[in-house]
Every structure is written in C-alpha cells, then in structure tokens.
C-alpha cells in the first residue's frame, strides 16, 4: 500500500467531442493485490479520493458530439 497522494485522470473515448473524463486530484491507494477475472490476471486496487480544495475529490466531465 502507499500513503502518497497522486492525481488520477481517466479519459474514455478518443473521438474529438465525444468522451468522458474522470478526475481525482488526490487519489490514494489504500490496498492493492493480485486478482483473477475469468482466467485473466488483474491488479485489485482500493482507492481513497481525497479533497484538494473544497468539494473536488472527484469530477466527471462529459463532452458530447454535435
């Protein structure tokens, strides 16, 4: 496990004007381990999303096409 906070930014979709973004400015790994999903090795992470300033521990942005 790690006590260090790091910014987490995930973008789903690659088409301009058609994607969703998840942003957590201070994500912290609480637990980690190995997992298995139908025979595929995975990493299992439990995250804690901490506030940076105000109510900003997680923002979700939708950008739609026209």
């Amino acid at each position: 496990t790690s006590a260090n906070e790091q910014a987490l930014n995930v973008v789903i979709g690659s088409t301009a004007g058609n994607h969703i973004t998840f942003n957590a400015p201070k994500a912290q790994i609480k637990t980690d381990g190995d997992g298995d999903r139908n025979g595929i090795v995975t990493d299992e992470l439990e995250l804690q999303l901490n506030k940076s300033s105000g109510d900003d521990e997680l923002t979700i942005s939708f950008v739609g096409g026209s």
Side-chain angles (χ1 to χ4, degrees), residues 2 5 7 11 13 15 18 23 25 29 36 39 42 51 54-55 59 65-66:
S2 174
E5 296 174 320
V11 178
T15 305
N18 191 18
N23 185 48
I29 297 174
D36 180 287
T42 62
K51 294 179 183 180
D55 190 20
T59 57
S66 53

Side-chain angles (χ1 to χ4, degrees), residues 8-12 19-23 58-63:
L8 174 67
N9 187 21
V10 178
V11 178
I12 300 174
H19 59 270
I20 183 172
T21 301
F22 299 89
N23 185 48
L58 177 66
T59 57
I60 303 172
S61 302
F62 299 94
V63 179

Side-chain angles (χ1 to χ4, degrees), residues 28-46:
Q28 187 175 15
I29 297 174
K30 298 306 287 181
T31 61
D32 63 352
D34 297 327
D36 180 287
R37 185 176 302 145
N38 297 322
I40 298 172
V41 176
T42 62
D43 288 321
E44 295 184 357
L45 300 175
E46 179 184 343

